[in-house]
Amino acid sequence: MTTIAVLGNGRVGGNLAAALNRAGHQVTVAGREPGAAAKAALTAEVVINATPGAGSLERLAALRAELQGKILVDVSNATTDGPDGLPADLLYHGSSLAEQLQEALPGTSVVKTLNTMLFPVMTAPDTLTQPPTAFLSGEDPQAKQTVRELLTDLGWRTEWITDLGGIRTARATEAAILFVPHVIRSSGFAPFAISIAR
């Protein structure tokens, strides 16, 4: 059992929290109430960033002390939104949210994952007609192994998880968000994920 704090109580955070709780982990969800995120992060071993990506850096940088020595799982994408509310462009050109978080939180092991799919797939990867891929980006091999085990608890098979390497590789997976608005406009809001076919 891992003690987990999920920052963000929207669709993504709520979905992940419920699934991890069902898997036997001790999960706390922190919304926007003053002090909620700091309190949840302080008592957790693993913290999941499921806050809106455009404001994640500012929110989490303020928790530097509480996140010291913790694993931060970043599932968000930092984008500007178009008039229809769908992602229009990346916020950090030449970088990524994950890299920005790692730089702001040097005492925290940031691992990027689950950001290349619509949120229902995060906790039910076997519901798609073909296997999706969950990517891992991060500097700490032990932290990535912990996250890999959490993904397994969420239903991800070992062969569906691909370790891309260091945190800089998150640039590639975060750029995949630019597919999302076009796929949704073309096919509707049906669950889908980026998949590496071999």
Side-chain angles (χ1 to χ4, degrees), residues 35-190:
K39 183 177 179 181
L42 190 61
T43 57
E45 301 165 78
V46 174
V47 178
I48 298 176
N49 174 38
T51 65
S56 289
L57 182 58
E58 182 181 358
R59 286 191 189 99
L60 273 72
L63 302 176
R64 184 169 177 169
E66 290 84 356
L67 291 169
Q68 181 75 20
K70 309 292 176 72
I71 296 171
L72 176 64
V73 183
D74 179 32
V75 304
S76 294
N77 289 301
T79 63
T80 59
D81 290 340
D84 56 2
L86 294 174
D89 200 3
L90 300 175
L91 198 58
Y92 300 111
H93 290 277
S95 185
S96 63
L97 173 58
E99 288 173 89
Q100 296 293 315
L101 288 171
Q102 187 61 87
E103 185 176 345
L105 303 165
T108 303
S109 296
V110 178
V111 179
K112 189 82 183 190
T113 193
L114 294 180
N115 63 308
T116 55
M117 62 201 70
L118 290 193
F119 77 91
V121 182
M122 295 178 177
T123 57
D126 58 351
T127 58
L128 298 183
T129 56
Q130 61 192 48
T133 304
F135 301 99
L136 296 174
S137 299
E139 300 298 327
D140 184 342
Q142 189 172 352
K144 285 195 282 190
Q145 179 57 34
T146 297
V147 175
R148 185 184 290 269
E149 290 166 6
L150 291 176
L151 291 178
T152 301
D153 288 343
L154 292 174
W156 289 85
R157 299 183 191 175
T158 302
E159 63 269 24
W160 297 352
I161 303 170
T162 298
D163 186 342
L164 295 178
I167 200 69
R168 188 184 173 111
T169 63
R171 296 181 188 188
T173 61
E174 289 190 25
I177 189 67
L178 298 180
F179 275 105
V180 170
H182 306 300
V183 174
I184 289 175
R185 292 183 192 116
S186 172
S187 309
F189 199 86

Side-chain angles (χ1 to χ4, degrees), residues 4-28:
I4 301 170
V6 178
L7 307 185
N9 58 358
R11 293 180 298 182
V12 174
N15 188 42
L16 286 168
L20 290 165
N21 187 60
R22 286 194 300 271
H25 299 287
Q26 183 178 327
V27 183
T28 302

